[in-house]
Amino acid sequence: MQNIADYVRDTAAAAKQAFYQLAAATTAQKNTALLRLAELIEQHQTAILAANAEDMAQAAAKGLETALLERLKLTETTIAGMCEGLRQVAALPDPVGEMDEFRNRPNGLQIGKMRVPLGVIGIIYESRPNVTVDAAALCLKSGNACVLRGGSEAFNGNMAIAKLITQALRENGLPVDAVRLIENTSRESVGAMLQSPDLIDVIIPRGGKSLVARISAEAQVPVIKHLDGICHVYIDRAADTPKALDIAFNAKTSRYGTCNTIETLLIHEARAVEILPLLAEKYAEKAVELRGCVRTRNILPDIIAATEEDWDTEYLAPILAVKIVDSLTEAIAHINTHGSHHTDSIVTENYTDAQIFLRAVDSASVMVNASTRFADGFEYGLGAEIGISTDKIHVRGPVGLHGLTSQKWVVLGNGQIRT
Amino acid sequence: MQNIADYVRDTAAAAKQAFYQLAAATTAQKNTALLRLAELIEQHQTAILAANAEDMAQAAAKGLETALLERLKLTETTIAGMCEGLRQVAALPDPVGEMDEFRNRPNGLQIGKMRVPLGVIGIIYESRPNVTVDAAALCLKSGNACVLRGGSEAFNGNMAIAKLITQALRENGLPVDAVRLIENTSRESVGAMLQSPDLIDVIIPRGGKSLVARISAEAQVPVIKHLDGICHVYIDRAADTPKALDIAFNAKTSRYGTCNTIETLLIHEARAVEILPLLAEKYAEKAVELRGCVRTRNILPDIIAATEEDWDTEYLAPILAVKIVDSLTEAIAHINTHGSHHTDSIVTENYTDAQIFLRAVDSASVMVNASTRFADGFEYGLGAEIGISTDKIHVRGPVGLHGLTSQKWVVLGNGQIRT
């Protein structure tokens, strides 16, 4: 039997070759393959759900936490979402070869940029089997090959989907190695990917904090990382009450396991007495546990006291930390210190407060009067997303097609030399 | 005495604080400081040249190679170039706060992007004292703070320049810690920077292959790297002879120590008998040593034989490897295999050959009928450059102001929640 590192490197080397072949694929070929994949997934929905059910049963038996089980579970709705994502990606313009920013230089050179794929993208992910489809679609459309290393808990579902991807590629004359699932879910297979900068151009981890931390520390390959989502809603002094109630409620309760869900609510002291009791009532309907600062507990005496640790915690659960602040400045400082630079929203009717918040909050997405839950590729109009980058380098926030490409400079001359 | 790691971390921490203060600086303040610095450098030219002469004498005594001495040397011309660079950067639009790509979503959200600085940028460089000025200017203009770690061989010149930078910042009410030169040129000071992802947002190494390799391997901070420049001119079957002669000659001989100088000349076999003897005559005037493949030596029997190693070597010297190829395809394969993905140029009058070359050559800059020597920030109209990235991630080719920034998403709502 082949050792794991060799198997992973052989797979990545095959993907590299497929990447060069992909350069010759037309946009039509790529789109047809994506649409065919949507069709195949719909046709094989029963088999995919059965494979996922097997994964769910094993995960439950192993005692996986609720948030992880929620991420693992596929339903007819989530499968319909995958197929919708494929059709959206097929409908998006092909970014490869886009040329822009051409300018004439005084010496007659025309200098501009051409958009090009990154090469081979390694995706290392946990739980969510839909990543297999989203990643394959976005990489293929952007001319990249990919090596997918899913989690052991999602193995059966991933294998069922990967088989269909291979079929869609083959039927459309595309290299089947352009999307390769690593059929080994050991730690060693991740390690082998991280140590292969000659074969893999960038790694995108999708998963828990410890996975991402390990990958960042060990990778010899550039990493586009998504760390945790400690997101905030700040209810400003000038907030509109109905908007504040709707947004603070929605940003916490519409889904608990997602990274764009808020973990801390900040509220200006001038509005706390009015708004906090109304909000507490709404949260009680959903049994959200509130943990408050001292002043919050003066208003809501029945809630638990928040500790310093709460401000730095991603609960991924029906728990919300609540803090009263004296000013916009204090809110911004809290967010920049305790947040994860993911997504933060201010509720305000005041123009200047909104402008200050947008500029000063150092996060991938900054919002005014909108739920943080909108921070994703679908909602931003990118089609599916491959992750939400909390880095500043290369790409920030939801990573769609453009995040998976680079640009090269194109210089058109007629014999110019440098004097 | 404070230990080196603590000193470096204290310096970086001061830069981080200065970065937050810089957010409040106006564009006018930053520009005035840059123009003032140009003035100060002109006024203190004699002192800078004297400091550099001291560096040069020590470097020569240590037996530094010619290419490095060439990089170290300052002249009235290179100092005038620095000042011209400062004035160009001052004249460029301030990228910070630029908003674009705003689109209306069906739910009424307006979603777009705002350009923001990266934070604290660490520059680790060797030899060239002009990097001190270029880096400070580009970082300041783009709202970043920077920590500069120059080479020991350039210490006196760097100190002389850094003093003037501090003065220009102070005189214009900007935080003096926004540009900090590390006054310790030991290996440990580099190590301390590489291990400080909490204080430094990105590291840009400028220097030889071994420095960059060490930094890439050890850095816990994202790196924008510039590896070597193994650049090519390919003289196509359809090349215009005078353009071919001018470009091949200029791309090798206008300067030997620069990364955008070619190291290998490729020529289509159909044009070799006509063009190679003419070129050899021109190169002989400059005493460029030619190293040829077997077929090249059939035409130019007096030159040295090239070995496999020559195709992978950055000479930074008056040496040129020459290879005859059978086709455009072979030329492209050679460049993608042996080149450093920096800058490559085709000389051709054929439209289709030019198009294929531009798309298929996987380099940061691809050119038609132009000397590779144009690949730099000045010539591309970026003002000064901080390096030429051979990475694909974040920024590729000459790195100017935009390469030192990121974008965040801005979402403007009126109460939208996600259903």
Side-chain angles (χ1 to χ4, degrees):
Chain A
M1 202 186 127
Q2 197 183 22
N3 83 44
I4 293 168
D6 287 348
Y7 159 67
V8 169
R9 286 188 54 83
D10 287 353
T11 305
K16 193 85 166 181
Q17 286 311 309
F19 162 63
Y20 291 122
Q21 293 165 42
L22 266 189
T26 63
T27 304
Q29 250 180 312
K30 296 189 285 189
N31 290 344
T32 313
L34 293 171
L35 296 173
R36 176 62 178 144
L37 178 57
E39 231 172 52
L40 287 171
I41 289 174
E42 284 165 350
Q43 284 167 13
H44 295 80
Q45 175 168 300
T46 316
I48 295 170
L49 288 174
N52 180 248
E54 205 175 314
D55 289 332
M56 289 290 289
Q58 289 176 14
K62 280 189 197 153
L64 245 68
E65 356 165 356
T66 315
L68 289 178
L69 286 175
E70 191 190 334
R71 289 173 185 216
L72 179 58
K73 188 171 173 57
L74 287 178
T75 62
E76 291 191 11
T77 312
T78 52
I79 287 185
M82 283 182 195
C83 296
E84 170 60 16
L86 284 166
R87 293 184 175 110
Q88 280 198 22
V89 175
L92 290 171
D94 187 341
V96 177
E98 273 176 7
M99 299 221 262
D100 58 13
E101 298 180 44
F102 270 84
R103 298 211 175 89
N104 295 316
R105 300 293 302 157
N107 58 7
L109 287 177
Q110 290 184 291
I111 301 184
K113 289 179 178 176
M114 186 195 292
R115 198 162 281 283
V116 290
L118 291 172
V120 176
I121 299 180
I123 321 276
I124 300 171
Y125 55 111
E126 289 174 333
S127 308
R128 303 191 189 189
N130 61 307
V131 173
T132 308
V133 172
D134 296 350
L138 287 167
C139 290
L140 182 66
K141 181 76 184 232
S142 54
N144 294 288
C146 62
V147 175
L148 307 172
R149 165 54 175 77
S152 55
E153 67 287 353
F155 186 72
N156 292 299
N158 286 339
M159 288 291 286
I161 293 166
K163 220 177 73 180
L164 303 177
I165 295 173
T166 301
Q167 185 179 342
L169 291 169
R170 182 178 289 121
E171 286 180 8
N172 288 282
L174 294 169
V176 295
D177 292 329
V179 180
R180 287 289 302 263
L181 181 71
I182 298 282
E183 298 180 16
N184 175 294
T185 57
S186 69
R187 253 180 103 85
E188 293 97 301
S189 63
V190 171
M193 288 173 71
L194 301 183
Q195 303 304 320
S196 298
D198 52 330
L199 298 172
I200 298 177
D201 293 280
V202 61
I203 286 196
I204 303 178
R206 290 285 310 263
K209 215 170 170 170
S210 66
L211 176 83
V212 179
R214 177 197 162 196
I215 286 170
S216 303
E218 290 181 21
Q220 293 296 312
V221 180
V223 174
I224 296 175
K225 57 176 176 295
H226 172 150
L227 275 165
D228 41 356
I230 302 181
C231 301
H232 302 75
V233 162
Y234 165 58
I235 299 175
D236 189 42
R237 171 194 276 273
D240 173 73
T241 305
K243 286 178 192 162
L245 297 176
D246 283 352
I247 289 169
F249 185 69
N250 180 263
K252 181 68 225 180
T253 65
S254 73
R255 208 162 160 193
Y256 297 113
T258 45
C259 58
N260 54 19
T261 296
I262 61 168
E263 310 297 351
T264 299
L265 176 74
L266 302 171
I267 183 165
H268 193 281
E269 53 91 12
R271 304 301 297 281
V273 173
E274 168 205 355
I275 290 176
L276 282 182
L278 299 172
L279 262 179
E281 212 172 300
K282 281 172 78 83
Y283 285 131
E285 287 167 28
K286 292 262 193 175
V288 173
E289 174 188 317
L290 300 181
R291 302 186 182 177
C293 68
V294 174
R295 288 198 285 176
T296 298
R297 294 180 71 224
N298 289 340
I299 300 169
L300 305 173
D302 297 336
I303 70 171
I304 300 169
T307 64
E308 273 304 304
E309 210 186 308
D310 280 298
W311 314 128
D312 300 316
T313 302
E314 185 183 23
Y315 302 116
L316 297 169
I319 305 173
L320 180 68
V322 183
K323 182 173 186 165
I324 294 174
V325 294
D326 287 325
S327 63
L328 172 61
T329 307
E330 190 187 341
I332 291 169
H334 181 99
I335 292 170
N336 284 341
T337 308
H338 298 284
S340 64
H341 310 289
H342 189 296
T343 300
D344 301 286
S345 184
I346 184 174
V347 184
T348 192
E349 298 301 309
N350 183 285
Y351 167 82
T352 301
D353 287 1
Q355 289 295 320
I356 292 173
F357 187 91
L358 290 176
R359 281 169 192 278
V361 169
D362 186 22
S363 295
S365 291
V366 287
M367 303 184 168
V368 181
N369 293 340
S371 170
T372 56
R373 291 277 293 114
F374 285 113
D376 81 25
F378 268 122
E379 296 294 337
Y380 283 7
L382 309 178
E385 77 192 14
I386 209 159
I388 298 183
S389 168
T390 52
D391 279 333
K392 291 187 183 177
I393 296 295
H394 187 65
V395 62
R396 216 171 171 192
V399 182
L401 289 180
H402 271 207
L404 298 179
T405 61
S406 182
Q407 288 182 305
K408 65 183 176 190
W409 293 87
V410 172
V411 178
L412 305 177
N414 51 26
Q416 282 85 348
I417 59 171
R418 189 160 169 189
T419 44
Chain B
M1 202 185 124
Q2 194 183 25
N3 83 43
I4 293 168
D6 287 347
Y7 159 65
V8 169
R9 285 188 56 83
D10 287 352
T11 306
K16 192 86 167 181
Q17 287 311 309
F19 162 64
Y20 291 123
Q21 294 166 41
L22 267 189
T26 63
T27 304
Q29 249 180 313
K30 297 189 285 187
N31 289 344
T32 313
L34 294 172
L35 296 173
R36 175 65 178 143
L37 178 57
E39 231 171 53
L40 287 171
I41 289 174
E42 285 164 349
Q43 285 166 12
H44 294 80
Q45 175 168 301
T46 315
I48 296 169
L49 288 175
N52 179 248
E54 206 176 313
D55 288 331
M56 288 289 289
Q58 287 176 15
K62 278 189 199 153
L64 245 68
E65 359 167 350
T66 316
L68 290 178
L69 286 176
E70 191 190 336
R71 288 173 185 216
L72 179 58
K73 189 172 176 54
L74 287 178
T75 63
E76 292 192 10
T77 312
T78 51
I79 287 185
M82 284 182 194
C83 297
E84 169 62 16
L86 284 166
R87 293 185 174 110
Q88 280 198 22
V89 174
L92 290 171
D94 188 338
V96 177
E98 273 177 8
M99 299 221 262
D100 59 12
E101 299 180 42
F102 270 84
R103 301 215 172 87
N104 295 317
R105 300 293 303 156
N107 58 7
L109 288 176
Q110 290 184 292
I111 301 184
K113 290 180 178 175
M114 185 195 292
R115 197 163 282 283
V116 291
L118 291 171
V120 177
I121 299 180
I123 320 275
I124 300 171
Y125 54 110
E126 290 174 331
S127 309
R128 300 189 192 191
N130 61 307
V131 173
T132 307
V133 172
D134 296 350
L138 288 167
C139 289
L140 182 66
K141 179 78 184 228
S142 55
N144 294 288
C146 61
V147 174
L148 307 172
R149 163 57 174 75
S152 54
E153 67 286 354
F155 185 73
N156 293 299
N158 287 339
M159 287 291 286
I161 293 166
K163 220 177 72 179
L164 303 177
I165 295 173
T166 301
Q167 185 179 341
L169 291 169
R170 182 176 290 122
E171 286 181 11
N172 289 282
L174 294 169
V176 295
D177 292 330
V179 180
R180 286 290 302 264
L181 181 73
I182 298 282
E183 298 180 14
N184 174 294
T185 57
S186 69
R187 254 180 102 86
E188 292 96 302
S189 63
V190 171
M193 289 174 70
L194 301 183
Q195 303 304 320
S196 298
D198 53 330
L199 297 173
I200 298 176
D201 293 279
V202 60
I203 287 199
I204 304 179
R206 290 286 309 263
K209 214 170 171 170
S210 66
L211 176 83
V212 179
R214 178 199 161 194
I215 286 171
S216 304
E218 289 179 23
Q220 294 295 312
V221 180
V223 174
I224 296 175
K225 59 176 177 295
H226 172 149
L227 275 165
D228 40 357
I230 302 181
C231 302
H232 303 75
V233 162
Y234 165 59
I235 299 175
D236 188 42
R237 172 195 275 272
D240 172 74
T241 304
K243 287 179 192 161
L245 297 176
D246 283 351
I247 290 169
F249 185 70
N250 181 263
K252 182 68 225 181
T253 65
S254 73
R255 207 160 160 195
Y256 298 112
T258 45
C259 58
N260 54 19
T261 296
I262 61 168
E263 310 297 352
T264 299
L265 175 75
L266 302 171
I267 184 166
H268 192 281
E269 54 90 13
R271 304 300 298 280
V273 173
E274 169 205 355
I275 290 176
L276 283 182
L278 299 173
L279 262 178
E281 212 172 301
K282 281 171 78 86
Y283 285 131
E285 287 166 28
K286 293 263 193 172
V288 173
E289 176 188 314
L290 301 181
R291 301 185 184 179
C293 68
V294 173
R295 287 197 286 176
T296 299
R297 295 180 71 224
N298 288 339
I299 299 169
L300 305 172
D302 297 336
I303 69 169
I304 299 168
T307 64
E308 272 306 302
E309 209 185 311
D310 281 298
W311 314 129
D312 301 316
T313 302
E314 185 182 23
Y315 302 115
L316 298 170
I319 304 173
L320 180 67
V322 183
K323 182 172 185 166
I324 293 174
V325 295
D326 287 324
S327 64
L328 172 61
T329 307
E330 188 187 341
I332 291 168
H334 181 98
I335 292 169
N336 284 341
T337 307
H338 298 284
S340 65
H341 310 287
H342 189 297
T343 301
D344 301 286
S345 183
I346 184 174
V347 183
T348 191
E349 298 301 310
N350 183 285
Y351 166 82
T352 301
D353 287 0
Q355 289 295 321
I356 292 172
F357 187 90
L358 290 176
R359 282 170 191 277
V361 170
D362 186 22
S363 295
S365 291
V366 288
M367 302 184 167
V368 181
N369 293 341
S371 170
T372 55
R373 290 278 293 115
F374 285 112
D376 81 27
F378 268 122
E379 296 295 336
Y380 283 7
L382 309 179
E385 78 192 12
I386 209 160
I388 298 182
S389 167
T390 52
D391 279 333
K392 290 186 184 178
I393 296 297
H394 188 64
V395 60
R396 213 173 174 192
V399 182
L401 290 180
H402 272 209
L404 299 179
T405 62
S406 182
Q407 288 181 306
K408 64 182 176 190
W409 293 86
V410 172
V411 178
L412 305 177
N414 51 25
Q416 283 86 348
I417 58 170
R418 189 160 168 188
T419 45

